[in-house]
Amino acid sequence: MGLRWRRRPSFSALPDYRLMSIQTRCAQCHNLKAEEGNKIGPNLHGLFGRKTGQVEGFSYTDANKNKAIEWKEDTLFEYLENPKKYIPGTKMAFGGLKKAKDRNDLITHLRNETK
């Protein structure tokens, strides 16, 4: 009985470990589902179309409350590169995602998971 070579899955069928790593880092502080509530950071359910500093029951800094921008793809793209630069005075400890692809992938994930 000889060995059979199995066809390897295409790369598109493999899990995206880079994105999974980013998601894990976000999940340390944020929940995505409405029923899950706030953690160290605010719950992100309903993120798109919401203004900064608006999640009920979460204690935001004045910087976050006063920024008054609406979360959309373009504002998240800029914010996720360097949160402390985008909102000086925020208490978000996350250092940001320097690669545009990482930010785009995370925004797509958030768009799908926070509806």
Side-chain angles (χ1 to χ4, degrees):
M1 194 167 161
L3 292 175
R4 277 185 30 193
W5 291 99
R6 284 193 249 164
R7 189 172 172 195
R8 291 181 149 203
S10 70
F11 285 110
S12 62
L14 296 173
D16 185 345
Y17 292 108
R18 179 189 41 76
L19 180 57
M20 288 170 60
S21 171
I22 294 168
Q23 292 167 352
T24 300
R25 287 173 25 204
C26 296
Q28 292 173 359
C29 298
H30 298 281
N31 282 320
L32 303 179
K33 305 296 179 199
E35 65 278 2
E36 293 175 333
N38 297 320
K39 289 170 90 171
I40 293 169
N43 183 302
L44 299 179
H45 180 76
L47 174 67
F48 290 85
R50 185 168 69 208
K51 291 196 183 279
T52 56
Q54 299 298 311
V55 173
E56 191 174 322
F58 187 77
S59 177
Y60 287 97
T61 63
D62 287 340
N64 244 307
K65 291 182 216 171
N66 297 332
K67 184 71 174 181
I69 57 105
E70 183 179 322
W71 291 124
K72 329 182 257 196
E73 285 86 353
D74 61 335
T75 53
L76 280 168
F77 186 82
E78 190 175 347
Y79 175 74
L80 289 170
E81 183 176 19
N82 187 338
K84 290 186 182 290
K85 181 179 177 186
Y86 191 74
I87 303 179
T90 185
K91 62 184 174 182
M92 183 159 161
F94 179 63
L97 296 169
K98 303 309 173 212
K99 294 180 181 176
K101 179 173 179 14
D102 290 346
R103 293 193 308 273
N104 281 325
D105 289 349
L106 179 57
I107 290 166
T108 298
H109 172 72
L110 290 171
R111 170 64 83 184
N112 293 330
E113 296 298 322
T114 62
K115 294 178 182 176

